[in-house]
Amino acid sequence: MSFYIGCHLSSAKGYEAMGQTTVELGASTFAFFTRNPRGGRAKAIDLADAARLRSLMQAHAFGPIVAHAPYTMNACAAKEHLREFAQEMMADDLVRMEQMPHQLYNFHPGSHVGQGAERGIELIAAQLNHVLRPEQTTTVLLETMAGKGTEIGRSFEELRAIIDRVELQDHLGVCLDTCHVWDAGYDIVSDLDGVLMEFDRIIGLDRLRAIHLNDSLNPCGAHKDRHARIGEGEIGLEALVRVIRHPACRHLPFILETPNDAAGYAKEIALIKSYAIL
Ligand code: FE
Ligand code: FE
Ligand code: ZN
């Protein structure tokens, strides 16, 4: 069985450079922002660079890579021009993603900013119905959120409600962020099996396509979203090892979004790999 671990990388030097960094880190997948995390224009697609990444990924047997939409993209903003901006960004990102076919594109569902969860869910589904294409090969992932402020995606039920309203459901999956579900109140430390059974009951484990592997600075249910290094937070190394070894998760790409420099990531990747069932 293959085990896929990697971390969030800067895309400043292009696609191939991220692939090379991944290999140097001893990793086999990575994440990156599709554009400036604050949103806005993305660089023109460098087709040759994308092709070089594709062959590098093949040569090194990478798992699926997990692109990340900008944090500021709010599909359920109250102002219409912000929603249009979000829609344009996602549509453009999905065109770009097809340069690396069959990979994953993760986004934060959005914040309803006082309009209510019901309305937020409607708007997020509307954006997905607007941008998803039958012919696309990219799977779009809804990220489980910590529930800070008015974030949608704080419960499995909210993610299910979005999926239910989307026409092209085959192109949808979920990325489970260990810090976020913990902060949202799912006790993955004392009852990982129970949490994953609930995920299966409400969303279906077939939708689970990626894991953001983070420790949390805060206790379960804090709704804070402050990531900690692996083993340095309230979740702890043992519980995170149970996640990477769990039959429902162990085949998925694991992305570290921990506060680390390159050396710190290399150490964390080696640590996680030493506990993986290979
Ligand atoms: Fe995220
Ligand atoms: Fe995350
Ligand atoms: Zn987070």
Side-chain angles (χ1 to χ4, degrees):
M1 204 196 69
S2 310
F3 180 74
Y4 304 119
I5 177 85
C7 63
H8 198 98
L9 297 175
S10 159
S11 61
K13 290 180 186 153
Y15 293 133
E16 188 189 24
M18 290 190 283
Q20 282 163 345
T21 302
T22 297
V23 173
E24 284 160 19
L25 286 168
S28 48
T29 179
F30 64 92
F32 66 102
F33 285 119
T34 50
R35 60 188 71 218
N36 184 312
R38 280 172 289 125
R41 285 186 76 82
K43 286 182 289 189
I45 312 178
D46 184 339
L47 297 179
D49 186 32
R52 287 193 298 269
L53 173 62
R54 288 199 304 270
S55 45
L56 185 148
M57 287 176 66
Q58 218 170 6
H60 293 274
F62 276 28
I65 58 173
V66 193
H68 200 304
Y71 285 136
T72 46
M73 191 180 81
N74 189 4
C76 57
K79 292 181 180 147
E80 201 186 344
H81 76 274
L82 291 178
R83 293 201 301 270
E84 275 166 15
F85 182 56
Q87 219 162 71
E88 281 161 23
M89 276 197 286
M90 189 182 270
D92 182 54
D93 280 349
L94 291 179
V95 169
R96 291 159 179 280
M97 287 298 295
E98 291 302 310
Q99 287 304 316
M100 293 156 288
H102 305 287
Q103 307 302 321
L104 305 169
Y105 175 81
N106 173 72
F107 79 109
H108 295 179
S111 293
H112 67 69
V113 292
Q115 303 172 94
E118 193 68 17
R119 171 81 175 143
I121 286 163
E122 250 173 56
L123 290 169
I124 295 158
Q127 166 156 331
L128 290 166
N129 282 327
H130 186 82
V131 302
L132 295 179
R133 294 281 172 265
E135 66 276 14
Q136 75 181 57
T137 67
T138 303
T139 301
V140 174
L141 306 184
L142 298 153
E143 182 167 350
T144 60
M145 300 309 292
K148 67 175 184 300
T150 63
E151 274 174 353
I152 305 276
R154 55 169 61 208
S155 68
F156 299 154
E157 284 84 355
E158 286 188 355
L159 296 181
R160 175 78 242 178
I162 298 167
I163 296 166
D164 278 340
R165 288 166 173 76
V166 173
E167 284 151 35
L168 300 172
Q169 289 177 11
D170 286 357
H171 298 318
L172 283 187
V174 171
C175 172
L176 186 147
D177 186 311
T178 54
C179 167
H180 295 178
V181 291
W182 169 257
D183 278 33
Y186 293 99
D187 188 354
I188 55 171
V189 172
S190 21
D191 191 18
L192 177 63
D193 274 322
V195 171
L196 289 171
M197 273 164 62
E198 194 170 338
F199 186 103
D200 192 35
R201 183 171 62 81
I202 308 218
I203 301 176
L205 281 169
D206 54 324
R207 296 258 180 222
L208 185 57
R209 298 298 171 80
I211 307 280
H212 283 171
L213 196 68
N214 303 309
D215 212 325
S216 172
L217 285 178
N218 294 105
C220 185
H223 301 296
K224 289 276 209 265
D225 191 5
R226 297 278 313 281
H227 299 192
R229 292 191 193 94
I230 302 302
E232 295 182 12
E234 299 281 322
I235 301 174
L237 177 63
E238 268 179 52
L240 292 169
V241 166
R242 286 195 291 273
V243 173
I244 64 149
R245 291 181 161 185
H246 198 283
C249 307
R250 62 189 179 206
H251 58 288
L252 299 172
F254 294 98
I255 302 292
L256 298 163
E257 297 176 314
T258 45
N260 271 308
D261 55 13
Y265 271 135
K267 239 173 77 186
E268 241 171 38
I269 287 161
L271 174 74
I272 293 299
K273 278 167 74 177
S274 75
Y275 286 103
I277 305 168
L278 294 171

